[in-house]
Amino acid sequence: MSRAQPHLTVVADANALAQLAAEHVMAQVMAHVNGGGDRLAICLAGGSTPVRLYELMTSEPYRNAMPWRRIHWFWGDERLVPHDDPRSNFAMARRLLLDRVPVPPSNIHAIPTSSASADEAARRYETELRHFYGADQLDPHRPLFDVVLLGVGPDGHTASLFPGHAELEQTRRWVVGVGEPGLEPFVPRVTLTFPALASTREMLFLVSGHGKREIMTRILAKTDLPATRAYAEGSLVWLVDRDAAPEQRDVA
Ligand code: 6PG
């Protein structure tokens, strides 16, 4: 698998964004199943942008067509709060998606936030990911994930990889703790590193709303930011709605 250049699509609005994102997820899942894969892995994003996508996937045609029992669910990052805390990325995905479709509980791999620290949670999650993958080294020809969903913060962070933080340089670890995110909510985070996020058949960035237009302008100018450093062993796709896209972009 070679490292692809990012591909950007601009859509009309947040609903069209969710629709196209769901089609991408479904296409990757079906490609893997049709290729003989029997166990799939999707890495979910936090934040507010994926809310419509998660809701949409509980309705037809996805509800009926997705091989729910074969898909394992992971998170790209988490806030170090209990799993029932409203700030929890896990809680959001469970409430909107995983509680509403037939997913076996053993397929849900939440980041263990009951750990004493973000570092301990990161080590435990890394162990779980390595165990699921069945090796300690990521093979570019055998991606860990089928789809990795990501968002972008107004400062250009993605997952919990924040500008200027040492975690951006991490090449050995799959998961690391982040003590001070410097952004709300001000709680320690746990995040997958770039190499772990990159181990995917498709990395899908979702960006929506006027509040993201400025950072999208910087991203398209290839400014050095966490979101522009992200790479994927498979395809790298940016889905952006018109409000978030700089003016001159055409709508797909
Ligand atoms: C988190 C996220 C984070 C998020 C961006 C975009 O835990 O906050 O994983 O990386 O995706 O901050 O968030 P919005 O979708 O809310 O704009």
Side-chain angles (χ1 to χ4, degrees):
M1 220 175 260
S2 64
R3 244 171 236 177
Q5 289 299 306
H7 182 271
L8 180 132
T9 301
V10 179
V11 297
D13 55 27
N15 284 329
L17 188 79
Q19 186 65 51
L20 190 54
E23 287 168 17
H24 271 260
V25 172
M26 187 73 195
Q28 286 302 324
V29 166
M30 293 330 283
H32 194 175
V33 167
N34 294 335
D38 64 354
R39 195 180 66 159
L40 299 102
I42 296 181
C43 184
L44 297 172
S48 55
T49 312
V51 164
R52 284 171 208 245
L53 168 65
Y54 297 166
E55 288 172 338
L56 187 62
M57 288 179 68
T58 67
S59 66
E60 299 302 350
Y62 308 102
R63 185 178 189 82
N64 210 23
M66 288 279 277
W68 297 108
R69 294 184 191 285
R70 292 157 72 169
I71 304 175
H72 288 252
W73 302 89
F74 295 88
W75 277 260
D77 75 319
E78 186 55 280
R79 295 94 183 258
L80 201 71
V81 295
H83 281 161
D84 56 1
D85 188 293
R87 295 167 296 181
S88 159
N89 288 339
F90 165 74
M92 189 267 272
R94 184 173 61 177
R95 180 169 50 85
L96 299 175
L97 173 63
L98 303 175
D99 272 354
R100 295 163 185 258
V101 288
V103 178
S106 56
N107 287 15
I108 298 176
H109 304 266
I111 293 178
T113 55
S114 59
S115 308
S117 67
D119 283 341
E120 188 195 316
R123 287 189 189 281
R124 286 174 59 192
Y125 204 51
E126 184 167 289
T127 301
E128 180 159 356
L129 280 172
R130 288 182 202 255
H131 184 258
F132 177 81
Y133 186 66
D136 286 342
Q137 297 293 325
L138 291 164
D139 174 356
H141 299 283
R142 186 172 72 84
L144 170 58
F145 300 116
D146 290 283
V147 179
V148 167
L149 293 170
L150 288 172
V152 180
D155 59 348
H157 80 260
T158 190
S160 284
L161 294 161
F162 294 94
H165 280 220
E167 296 83 27
L168 302 186
E169 312 304 331
Q170 185 57 249
T171 54
R172 196 178 45 82
R173 297 285 307 278
W174 296 15
V175 191
V176 291
V178 181
E180 172 48 72
L183 209 76
E184 280 195 341
F186 293 100
V187 292
R189 313 287 182 97
V190 178
T191 188
L192 268 62
T193 58
F194 286 127
L197 293 167
S199 185
T200 182
R201 293 171 192 280
E202 182 158 301
M203 177 179 281
L204 201 51
F205 274 92
L206 306 183
V207 194
S208 174
H210 278 294
K212 298 289 170 68
R213 188 172 283 190
E214 201 179 312
I215 196 66
M216 273 315 299
T217 306
R218 295 179 65 202
I219 287 167
L220 292 172
K222 298 192 181 353
T223 309
D224 181 19
L225 295 163
T228 48
R229 285 198 191 190
Y231 62 96
E233 302 296 353
S235 50
L236 172 50
V237 177
W238 284 78
L239 303 183
V240 180
D241 73 9
R242 191 162 24 200
D243 284 347
E247 296 293 349
Q248 71 278 15
R249 293 277 156 177
D250 293 332
V251 175

